[in-house]
Amino acid sequence: MRVNIRRMTLDDLSQVVAIDQASFSLPWPERSFRFEITDNPAARCWVAELDGRIIGILVLWLIVDEAHIATIATLADFRRQGVARELLVHALKSSIEEGAVSAFLEVRESNSAALTMYRKHGFVETGRRPRYYKDNNEDAILMTLERLNTISS
Ligand SMILES: CC(C)(COP(=O)(O)OP(=O)(O)OC[C@H]1O[C@@H](n2cnc3c(N)ncnc32)[C@H](O)[C@@H]1OP(=O)(O)O)[C@@H](O)C(=O)NCCC(=O)NCCS
């Protein structure tokens, strides 16, 4: 599958919001994506595109030398085909070029697909945020990749 990874623009908003809403029980409002694209200097917003259609999204916050994966999702029909992996590796490699040396993220403890993906890319569990998710009071697992330059596709 030939997927193109590029930066998210305001023209992508409706497709981005649709993927987010279909993927999360606490989706971001459209204004949050709008803010990330236009007003947040720390945000790096990416999409995966196939034949002009957006099939994956990723938002990363770059704070000094730390990359924080804020959200990542793949359109359901296109999962298990390497889309999130491509987004993740692309976004992290780009953040290395901008000076990031480590990366971290929060993930629901029940999200085995995401946990597996992150472990596969070298992230390790370094903490837990109790009752982090307000819809069901689920804990977040904090995962960290201390040596970001070990990331590989
Ligand atoms: C998690 C998610 C982004 C993965 O996207 P994807 O495009 O299907 O992922 P990829 O095909 O790139 O998979 C990369 C690796 O992750 C792991 N993985 C992905 N989905 C998995 C699943 N359902 N079960 C087990 N492992 C899984 C595998 O190790 C996989 O590699 P492999 O296919 O070579 O075995 C996707 O399931 C999704 O959008 N979920 C809803 C939103 C979400 O939970 N986001 C993460 C928030 S922290």
Side-chain angles (χ1 to χ4, degrees):
M1 192 166 56
R2 201 60 220 124
V3 171
N4 178 36
I5 309 291
R6 62 163 175 80
R7 292 293 278 270
M8 191 185 290
T9 72
L10 287 179
D11 289 339
D12 302 326
L13 262 184
S14 58
Q15 292 184 80
V16 167
V17 168
I19 293 176
D20 191 61
Q21 287 184 349
S23 300
F24 293 105
S25 51
L26 291 174
W28 290 8
E30 183 189 282
R31 67 174 183 282
S32 295
F33 284 104
R34 190 177 288 276
F35 168 78
E36 298 298 342
I37 295 168
T38 60
D39 286 332
N40 184 357
R44 305 292 181 268
C45 308
W46 298 94
V47 294
E49 193 178 43
L50 179 69
D51 299 332
R53 180 180 182 193
I54 294 175
I55 59 171
I57 62 173
L58 181 152
V59 176
L60 175 153
W61 293 315
L62 183 61
I63 318 271
V64 193
D65 60 358
E66 263 189 351
H68 182 176
I69 305 290
T71 194
I72 179 171
T74 299
L75 200 57
D77 287 351
F78 295 89
R79 288 182 188 161
R80 290 315 290 266
Q81 296 175 70
V83 174
R85 179 178 58 232
E86 284 206 37
L87 271 169
L88 188 66
V89 170
H90 189 100
L92 290 177
K93 283 188 171 168
S94 172
S95 71
I96 292 172
E97 286 169 14
E98 290 196 79
V101 298
S102 65
F104 74 99
L105 54 89
E106 290 98 7
V107 53
R108 286 178 192 261
E109 63 177 343
S110 66
N111 193 345
S112 56
L115 283 162
T116 304
M117 176 174 73
Y118 297 134
R119 286 190 193 115
K120 203 168 177 175
H121 287 90
F123 284 81
V124 294
E125 299 173 28
T126 48
R128 175 180 287 264
R129 303 198 197 282
R131 297 175 298 285
Y132 183 81
Y133 297 99
K134 294 306 168 203
D135 56 337
N136 63 353
N137 286 326
E138 186 172 355
D139 290 1
I141 305 296
L142 180 65
M143 298 189 84
T144 307
L145 178 55
E146 284 298 344
R147 292 176 56 229
L148 189 48
N149 59 7
T150 58
I151 192 84
S152 62
S153 45

